[in-house]
Amino acid sequence: MMYDSTAHLLLTPVDKEAPSRVRRLHRLGIGLRPDLAFDAFADRLAAVTGAPYSMVNFIDEERQFFAGLHTPDGTASRYMERDHGYCPHVVVRRKALVLEDVRDYPRFAGNPVVDEIGIRSYLGAPLIDRTGIALGTVCVVDVEPRPWGRAGLETIKAMAAELIEQIHRREDGGI
């Protein structure tokens, strides 16, 4: 794990599954370029949650890639450093994460996305496929605190399960 020695905060978890994840993503042919189906999924995720930003995010050893992306103005980078944001934590933890106001959590408040991008709330769930590999996440973020609550948690988990089924259908030749 990486630590900030001045603040003693956990920054980005060590991801021992990254090499296996990269091989699996290559076999699936996803996570390397924007995908219209994933963009449409991100649009729907934003609509369902009312969040201004939503992503279908795949993570390799160095960075995050938003194969599906919804932003209010339709522009944003599809790449983010692995140490930025909260999705790497979700992938390593293999559990959904709800941060209604990131500044309430010392472990996450110092993340660069708070100051550089203005992220204040996060809701994300892992995309765990049939092989047991956490491929990435689906997530939504806002620049304002959000009371996601139990309903938000259940929604993001259900949306992650739906997207994994879509990925499996692709793999099986159904899409």
Side-chain angles (χ1 to χ4, degrees), residues 8-9 15 19 30 39-40 73 81 103 109 114 120 138 160 167 173:
H8 304 290
L9 297 176
D15 184 358
I30 59 175
D39 280 343
D73 61 6
E81 294 296 319
R103 294 190 300 181
V114 175
R120 287 290 302 278
V138 293
I167 291 168

Side-chain angles (χ1 to χ4, degrees), residues 110-167:
N111 194 286
V113 298
V114 175
D115 294 329
E116 293 173 19
I117 303 171
I119 300 302
R120 287 290 302 278
S121 60
Y122 172 91
L123 178 64
L127 295 168
I128 301 173
D129 81 341
R130 63 176 61 143
T131 69
I133 294 176
L135 302 174
T137 67
V138 293
C139 69
V140 294
V141 297
D142 201 336
V143 295
E144 300 293 331
R146 292 284 299 265
W148 303 111
R150 169 74 55 201
L153 177 63
E154 294 307 318
T155 296
I156 200 73
K157 289 165 64 175
M159 295 294 285
E162 181 181 322
L163 187 59
I164 277 296
E165 288 305 313
Q166 186 180 101
I167 291 168

Side-chain angles (χ1 to χ4, degrees), residues 96-115:
L97 178 63
V98 178
L99 301 172
E100 294 183 343
D101 186 339
V102 298
R103 294 190 300 181
D104 290 342
Y105 302 88
R107 177 179 184 181
F108 298 113
N111 194 286
V113 298
V114 175
D115 294 329

